Amino acid sequence: MITVSSLVPYLGGALALGGVAVAASRRRELIVRWCAWAVGVPLVTGAFWWGEPGTAAVAVVVGVIAVLEFGGLMLLGRVDRAVLAAAVAGVVLTAWLAPGEVLRALAVGALTVAAVPLVTGDAEHGLRRLGAGLLGLAWLSVLAALVPLGASALALFVAVSVADITAYFAGRRLGGPRLSPLSPAKRWSGTHAGAAAGLGVLAVLSALSWPMAVAVAVGGPAGDLLESMIKRGAQVKDAGHWLPGSGGLLDRIDSLLVALAVLLVLS
């Protein structure tokens, strides 16, 4: 069984090796990004170590920030964002406090999100607001899976992150056919290399199973493309500009979100 304590040495070692690599590269962008990881990884790991309360707290905070970024991309107003954030937080807290009622919490959240444009009588933009709100709820409520998965979710995040980084560098070096028009910079060669690296990480962490493997190899790239589609529709490069070296939080968890969804379906 995977535990947070069993992952700590690997996370620490990966941060140390990454620090040496980015220092050797002398690239300011990579150094800034590593510094953000050096702060974030211990905080998230400590929260997961605390158990379900800590994991739920992380999921709520991440969910609310992600809703704000998503709302900006979809041009949602303050009321829409507030209701969507409350709905996502409600699903996460339900997964912690009353796991058997998650579907009911999702239904209540969907009805509440749908009610906002209906109550305001928005004939011009109501359908767009409704669609965006329901998409955001379905996409971001997957964070509730962090609570029951615990250390397995942390291992999945590590594997997906390594797969993303490997896919980026391998795709640039190897070239080949593009993965999708949604993200012209991504290549099939990079996707295959990233999947192999992600599966290798799962094996090292003793977390390799066929649902986890499919989540990393298929869910990760699909999540990246989903956010690329949303950002292309919004005509922006990043979901935000506040996270040093990384843009926004959605830019860091897009692959994890769909990977979590795939893992839930297959488990």
Side-chain angles (χ1 to χ4, degrees), residues 107-125:
V108 171
L111 291 172
T112 307
V113 167
V116 177
L118 293 177
V119 170
T120 57
D122 188 354
E124 184 177 0
H125 301 290

Side-chain angles (χ1 to χ4, degrees), residues 140-213:
L140 302 178
S141 289
V142 177
L143 288 166
L146 295 176
V147 178
L149 289 174
S152 295
L154 191 58
L156 179 65
F157 178 58
V158 174
V160 167
S161 299
V162 171
D164 277 348
I165 295 169
T166 303
Y168 172 76
F169 287 104
R172 292 185 62 182
R173 180 170 292 274
L174 298 175
R178 289 186 173 90
L179 178 62
S180 169
L182 294 173
S183 188
K186 292 180 174 59
R187 309 283 177 167
W188 277 106
S189 58
T191 301
H192 292 150
L199 298 186
V201 169
L202 290 177
V204 170
L205 299 179
S206 300
L208 183 60
S209 64
W210 77 267
M212 290 280 275

Side-chain angles (χ1 to χ4, degrees), residues 11-240:
L11 294 174
L15 276 178
L17 290 175
V20 172
V22 299
S25 72
R26 297 184 179 180
R27 292 177 57 182
R28 183 180 181 276
E29 177 187 356
L30 295 178
I31 294 173
V32 171
R33 183 173 295 184
W34 180 86
C35 290
W37 279 99
V39 173
V41 169
L43 289 176
V44 172
T45 304
F48 272 79
W49 205 328
W50 187 15
E52 289 193 352
T55 307
V58 167
V60 167
V61 172
V62 170
V64 170
I65 295 173
V67 165
L68 296 178
E69 293 181 353
F70 174 77
L73 293 174
M74 303 302 293
L75 301 179
L76 294 177
R78 291 183 179 180
V79 175
D80 296 86
R81 297 189 204 189
V83 171
L84 179 56
V88 170
V91 174
V92 172
L93 294 175
T94 302
W96 170 34
L97 300 172
E101 302 296 331
V102 170
L103 290 179
R104 182 169 295 175
L106 272 170
V108 171
L111 291 172
T112 307
V113 167
V116 177
L118 293 177
V119 170
T120 57
D122 188 354
E124 184 177 0
H125 301 290
L127 184 59
R128 176 186 60 80
R129 292 167 60 190
L130 173 61
L134 293 179
L135 171 61
L137 180 65
W139 189 27
L140 302 178
S141 289
V142 177
L143 288 166
L146 295 176
V147 178
L149 289 174
S152 295
L154 191 58
L156 179 65
F157 178 58
V158 174
V160 167
S161 299
V162 171
D164 277 348
I165 295 169
T166 303
Y168 172 76
F169 287 104
R172 292 185 62 182
R173 180 170 292 274
L174 298 175
R178 289 186 173 90
L179 178 62
S180 169
L182 294 173
S183 188
K186 292 180 174 59
R187 309 283 177 167
W188 277 106
S189 58
T191 301
H192 292 150
L199 298 186
V201 169
L202 290 177
V204 170
L205 299 179
S206 300
L208 183 60
S209 64
W210 77 267
M212 290 280 275
V214 175
V216 171
V218 178
D224 198 29
L225 290 178
L226 174 59
E227 198 209 4
S228 293
M229 181 179 68
I230 294 172
K231 289 192 295 186
R232 279 189 170 273
Q235 297 183 345
V236 299
K237 182 178 182 295
D238 297 315

